[in-house]
Amino acid sequence: MRILSAIRGFPLAVRLLLVNQLGVNTGFYLLIPYLATHLSDDLGLSAAVVGVVLGLRNLSQQGLFLIGGSAADRLGARGVIIAGCALRTVGFGLFALGDSLPLLIAASMLSGLAGALFNPAVRTYVAQEAGERKAEAFALFNVFATTGALLGPLLGTLLLLVDFRAAAVTAAGVFAALTLAQLLVLPAREVPAPDTGVLADWREAAGNRRFLAFSLAMLGMYGLENQLYLLLPRAATDASGWSGSVGLLFLAGTVANLLFQLRITRALKARGSRGRWIATGLGLMGLGFLPPMLVADAATAHPLRLLPVLAGALLLHIGVMVAQPFVMELIPAFGRASLTGTFYGLFYAVSGVAAAVGSAAVGWSMDTAGHTGLTWLPYVCCLALGLTSAAAVAHLHRIRALPADRAPDLLPPRAPDLLPPRAPARPRSEP
């Protein structure tokens, strides 16, 4: 009831985009987690070819986030969101049409490009429409996204009992329905003519040293969150001896989000600054890898050994719940309102690299642990990453390199340096 009441308090556009995110994650996780198995087992492709197909999807998404963000600023977030959902409809539909390599590559790249378009555009639209309730809006956004990430694999598992094409057609249908809903319901907003070129916008965002420092300090967040798909599933399976235990990690996170995300964000917003809570969330994410480390060297599997892994996953989810809404709220405050999409795009590009590098490093530590018996190694790496990121954000907060705790649209432009301001900034109204 608390969530429904909060949703009703937002404009129609925000409510639609919350449901949109539920659908986006449901459609995405309905198909993508099973794509590698389909390519290798059903189609008989080599591991190298599977890697190319999956890698092109990641590259086309992570590498084009900045373009998607700039498009949202210049063309309007609504049109970019619709274009992204339409492209993913086509991309997922292509997976159902055939098994030739050119078709698979086209499907993979189109689905990646779609994500590069609508991910920053959706966040831009939410940030613009939510006003001073940005943190609460992004808290609800997190609830809907997490719920979709749980529903998608469950629905995908059922559809795969038919075949992979049934899952692909269903996923494409989800995105087609989202595209139609946005065309009919999502309000259009007038976009002022830009005063600068795209390259000048990119230089302005990339030259904002406060923003870049914050983006680099946040490397731990996405590197650790990605371990819900790499390290923790392995830990759950090894500890319990049951492959189905992986689903409990996501179920626990979804239930926690539904019960506590909005309460946590509202309580923390009224107590202290955003920088402090972001650092706290990162620290909690790192500490989440201590409980599973306790059972990492267990000689035999036992259902009770799953409990520390679940406790660690819950701590990781809680850390995300603490930090993420304030991260999303803070990003637009670093620059001009007309560059909101550009800043989101650049942040997600940096985060994508962080997630890839972090996963590679943790994967290396997992292989090393298997060869040497140092079962604690990957968990210590994750702990160190979380605590280092927390310390970096805390340092930026301490030297006042983060935007002040005011509504971002009232903030004056900040100098792109890492020195603390000489005097408190005076608020001004946007024309």
Side-chain angles (χ1 to χ4, degrees):
M1 291 299 293
R2 186 185 297 266
I3 291 177
L4 293 177
S5 175
I7 292 171
R8 285 195 293 268
F10 283 100
L12 175 62
V14 174
R15 283 181 274 162
L16 176 62
L17 291 176
L18 292 174
V19 177
N20 177 82
Q21 193 59 31
L22 173 68
V24 164
N25 275 23
T26 300
F28 180 84
Y29 288 104
L30 184 159
L31 184 75
I32 294 300
Y34 310 103
L35 180 57
T37 301
H38 169 68
L39 295 176
S40 58
D41 294 355
D42 299 340
L43 303 186
L45 301 179
S46 67
V49 174
V50 172
V52 168
V53 173
L54 298 181
L56 286 173
R57 191 200 69 79
N58 287 327
L59 181 62
S60 60
Q61 178 163 315
Q62 308 295 350
L64 298 177
F65 269 135
L66 189 55
I67 293 176
S70 290
D73 288 335
R74 292 173 169 271
L75 305 177
R78 177 183 183 272
V80 178
I81 293 169
I82 293 170
C85 279
L87 275 178
R88 186 154 282 181
T89 302
V90 175
F92 280 12
L94 288 177
F95 280 121
L97 291 183
D99 53 12
S100 68
L101 186 57
L103 192 65
L104 293 172
I105 289 175
S108 190
M109 293 186 69
L110 281 176
S111 64
L113 174 60
L117 290 176
F118 65 66
N119 277 345
V122 166
R123 285 151 181 83
T124 298
Y125 205 126
V126 171
Q128 292 170 343
E129 291 290 319
E132 295 185 7
R133 299 179 64 196
K134 288 181 179 62
E136 191 174 330
F138 283 116
L140 290 169
F141 199 83
N142 194 29
V143 171
F144 278 77
T146 304
T147 304
L150 174 68
L151 294 177
L154 295 177
L155 183 57
T157 300
L158 293 176
L159 289 169
L160 286 173
L161 296 176
V162 181
D163 59 17
F164 181 82
R165 285 183 171 80
V169 168
T170 303
V174 169
F175 281 97
L178 293 175
T179 304
L180 181 60
Q182 291 153 9
L183 277 168
L184 296 177
V185 182
L186 195 61
R189 295 288 183 262
E190 184 178 353
V191 182
D195 298 326
T196 57
V198 173
L199 293 181
D201 291 347
W202 292 359
R203 283 195 298 268
E204 181 177 338
N208 188 319
R209 288 186 284 172
R210 294 174 186 267
F211 174 68
L212 287 184
F214 175 71
S215 299
L216 292 173
M218 291 303 301
L219 292 180
M221 181 171 179
Y222 293 94
L224 294 184
E225 195 174 6
N226 221 38
Q227 300 318 307
L228 285 167
Y229 307 97
L230 180 62
L231 178 58
L232 290 180
R234 172 75 66 84
T237 303
D238 291 346
S240 66
W242 175 44
S243 60
S245 61
V246 175
L248 296 179
L249 302 180
F250 297 96
L251 178 61
T254 301
V255 172
N257 266 271
L258 289 170
L259 293 178
F260 303 117
Q261 174 69 85
L262 195 57
R263 298 180 184 184
I264 288 174
T265 302
R266 284 178 169 175
L268 297 184
K269 189 173 179 63
R271 298 174 176 84
S273 61
R274 292 175 294 197
R276 178 185 302 172
W277 296 128
I278 292 171
T280 300
L282 288 167
L284 289 173
M285 291 178 70
L287 292 174
F289 291 88
L290 284 179
M293 185 172 65
L294 300 178
V295 296
D297 60 350
T300 58
H302 191 278
L304 290 178
R305 293 199 175 96
L306 179 62
L307 295 179
V309 182
L310 281 175
L314 267 176
L315 200 53
L316 177 61
H317 281 293
I318 291 172
V320 174
M321 289 158 61
V322 169
Q324 193 171 64
F326 297 112
V327 173
M328 294 294 103
E329 180 191 33
L330 196 61
I331 290 170
F334 280 99
R336 295 184 283 123
S338 59
L339 291 185
T340 296
T342 301
F343 275 83
Y344 274 122
L346 181 56
F347 181 81
Y348 271 98
V350 173
S351 300
V353 174
V357 172
S359 292
V362 173
W364 170 85
S365 67
M366 291 170 66
D367 290 339
T368 302
H371 297 148
T372 62
L374 302 176
T375 55
W376 48 265
L377 182 60
Y379 302 97
V380 169
C381 289
C382 290
L383 172 64
L385 180 58
L387 296 183
T388 300
S389 282
V393 172
H395 174 69
L396 293 175
H397 172 63
R398 188 168 55 253
I399 66 172
R400 300 182 184 179
L402 302 180
D405 285 318
R406 305 183 67 90
D409 56 341
L410 297 179
L411 283 170
R414 284 188 175 273
D417 55 54
L418 292 176
L419 297 177
R422 295 184 180 180
R426 297 169 60 187
R428 63 174 176 83
S429 297
E430 289 289 340

